Amino acid sequence: MQMTMRWYGSKHDTVTLRQIRQTCYATGVISTLYGKMPGELWTPQEINALKAEIEAEGLTLSGIESVNVSDAIKTGGAARDKDIDAYIKTLENLGKADVRLVCYNFMPVFDWTRTELARVRADGSTVLAYSQAAVDKIDPANMFESISGDMNGTVMPGWEPERMAKIKDLFEMYKDTDAEALFANLKYFLDAIMPVCDKYDINMAIHPDDPAWSVFGLPRIITNMENIRRMMKMTDNPHNGVTFCAGSYGTNPDNDLPAMIRALKGRIHFAHVRNLKFNDGRNDFQESAHLSCDGSFDMYEIVKALYDIGFDGPIRPDHGRMIWGEKAMPGYGLYDRALGAAYIRGLWEAVEKQHARKQ
């Protein structure tokens, strides 16, 4: 595996490439062209400039997260084919630049949902949190306003102000899109892009819905093993795989994370390894440190499962706490993610050495 960290670009991220390199644990970054809107073409010049900037700091561009999928594609709207054509050309340009991994999602309206971005823990650190009881009291049109004050002056992916300003229009756009329609539209998209993925050996790694259930009545389909199998079977191509995000799948306690990893051997192209802690009730949780003892997941078993299936793709820590007075994009500061990278690398080394001793 290759340890990476997500980086939003020099114009948007409070964390620098040099700081990421100095962690010692991360040798690559997962990045994006953050200013690009869904459906917009990524040019070779833009992609190569991003890659050159990263490589100039001694790191590699290990993948893209995300080339965002437009709402027209997700809903099967009138602009779907035009947007898919731009997506295919973007993938071709990425392939020519030797970028072989694209993480994306197929979530309606909200790319992810939290009710708090800065819940204060007993030690004074802050974390992302979700409460279904809080969601049930919120008008979705006011969701952005409810959390925007905790963004520390950053623009968070999936919550761009210009997108959130059209929230009522977005809900109207999805009013006739149920889970079956969303699956059909995902198949249409995947079938269209697989030829270019085959040509350039690009792995498409769908990110699970976060959290793993319907929010505000919107359909969510990448939530469990049954639906992942359906997604892979309907477009049966090894380039059609998953981002295994432990935190997103783990929001549903019924998902056995190590068992899911083992069942997805060969189709996990990217891994997000993080922990979270359940509070009162199933649909109430907060992020935690990566340590097993600080949350609800056995991180050793998650890492061991990835090792056991021969996972050799990019892996990254995810959704760190805000600690030591840092002000950054919630979940994406430097300090706690660096600690998470060190912890994951330590677990990997331990599993690797235990395996070697058994040989």
Side-chain angles (χ1 to χ4, degrees):
M1 66 91 177
Q2 181 193 26
M3 181 58 65
T4 66
M5 291 180 71
R6 192 173 186 180
W7 183 65
Y8 290 98
S10 53
K11 293 182 180 179
H12 303 282
D13 208 318
T14 59
V15 179
T16 68
L17 290 169
R18 183 154 298 183
Q19 287 172 323
I20 291 173
R21 186 181 181 190
Q22 288 175 353
T23 66
C24 186
Y25 303 99
T27 59
V29 297
I30 303 294
S31 194
T32 189
L33 295 179
Y34 201 23
K36 286 291 188 181
M37 298 301 294
E40 192 174 355
L41 176 67
W42 293 27
T43 68
Q45 294 80 7
E46 292 167 323
I47 294 166
N48 289 328
L50 174 66
K51 187 177 180 183
E53 182 180 11
I54 292 166
E55 291 177 348
E57 286 294 342
L59 297 163
T60 60
L61 176 57
S62 304
I64 296 296
E65 185 181 350
S66 300
V67 179
N68 289 319
V69 180
S70 73
D71 294 301
I73 294 173
K74 294 176 185 177
T75 62
R80 169 169 68 175
D81 291 334
K82 175 181 70 68
D83 289 353
I84 289 177
D85 185 59
Y87 207 104
I88 290 170
K89 288 184 172 67
T90 293
L91 290 176
E92 185 172 22
N93 291 338
L94 287 168
K96 289 177 179 178
D98 200 30
V99 177
R100 308 298 179 195
L101 169 70
V102 173
C103 172
Y104 71 104
N105 76 71
F106 222 74
M107 286 180 262
V109 184
F110 301 112
D111 282 3
W112 51 272
T113 309
R114 295 292 183 272
T115 51
E116 296 174 65
L117 302 182
R119 179 176 289 182
V120 181
R121 291 169 35 121
D123 61 5
S125 63
T126 61
V127 293
L128 308 175
Y130 180 95
S131 165
Q132 188 62 47
V135 167
D136 292 342
K137 297 175 183 177
I138 297 173
D139 181 338
N142 299 325
M143 187 67 189
F144 179 72
E145 287 76 10
S146 72
I147 62 171
S148 59
D150 291 331
M151 290 184 179
N152 292 328
T154 64
V155 178
M156 301 193 68
W159 293 83
E160 296 82 2
E162 61 272 20
R163 177 175 172 79
M164 292 299 100
K166 301 175 182 178
I167 194 75
K168 291 183 180 179
D169 293 337
L170 287 170
F171 269 85
E172 179 67 18
M173 186 183 299
Y174 281 92
K175 69 177 183 179
D176 296 323
T177 304
D178 59 12
E180 288 303 311
L182 202 58
F183 263 119
N185 294 335
L186 175 58
K187 175 176 169 53
Y188 187 95
F189 169 68
L190 288 171
D191 287 348
I193 66 171
M194 280 299 110
V196 74
C197 293
D198 290 339
K199 181 178 179 179
Y200 291 100
D201 193 25
I202 297 172
N203 287 324
M204 296 298 296
I206 194 166
H207 190 283
D209 300 340
D210 189 2
W213 56 79
S214 174
V215 178
F216 297 125
L218 296 165
R220 296 289 182 94
I221 58 174
I222 308 301
T223 57
N224 55 37
M225 196 63 230
E226 178 184 0
N227 285 8
I228 299 169
R229 285 196 177 100
R230 177 178 177 180
M231 184 271 299
M232 293 190 303
K233 184 178 180 180
M234 71 187 190
T235 303
D236 192 7
N237 186 308
H239 291 113
N240 173 28
V242 303
T243 294
F244 193 87
C245 180
S248 297
Y249 285 124
T251 58
N252 182 351
D254 293 337
N255 285 333
D256 183 331
L257 302 179
M260 290 176 71
I261 291 169
R262 290 186 168 89
L264 290 167
K265 181 178 180 179
R267 299 296 278 269
I268 297 177
H269 299 318
F270 184 27
H272 295 178
V273 178
R274 63 179 167 94
N275 204 349
L276 60 80
K277 185 177 181 62
F278 293 108
N279 300 313
D280 295 331
R282 286 175 58 92
N283 296 356
D284 192 307
F285 61 86
Q286 64 188 47
E287 313 288 0
S288 67
H290 285 73
L291 294 168
S292 296
C293 62
D294 196 55
S296 299
F297 303 159
D298 188 329
M299 301 295 282
Y300 171 83
E301 290 298 335
I302 290 170
V303 171
K304 185 176 185 299
L306 287 167
Y307 181 87
D308 288 346
I309 66 167
F311 175 74
D312 61 358
I315 190 170
R316 70 170 178 83
D318 198 12
H319 291 199
R321 302 163 297 152
M322 209 57 63
I323 60 174
W324 301 339
E326 186 176 20
K327 296 292 183 182
M329 184 185 294
Y332 288 98
L334 171 66
Y335 304 143
D336 198 42
R337 285 192 300 152
L339 292 175
Y343 181 60
I344 296 164
R345 282 288 297 267
L347 288 174
W348 190 274
E349 182 177 343
V351 171
E352 192 172 44
K353 288 183 175 178
Q354 287 169 351
H355 177 79
R357 289 183 184 128
K358 293 178 182 178
Q359 299 305 304

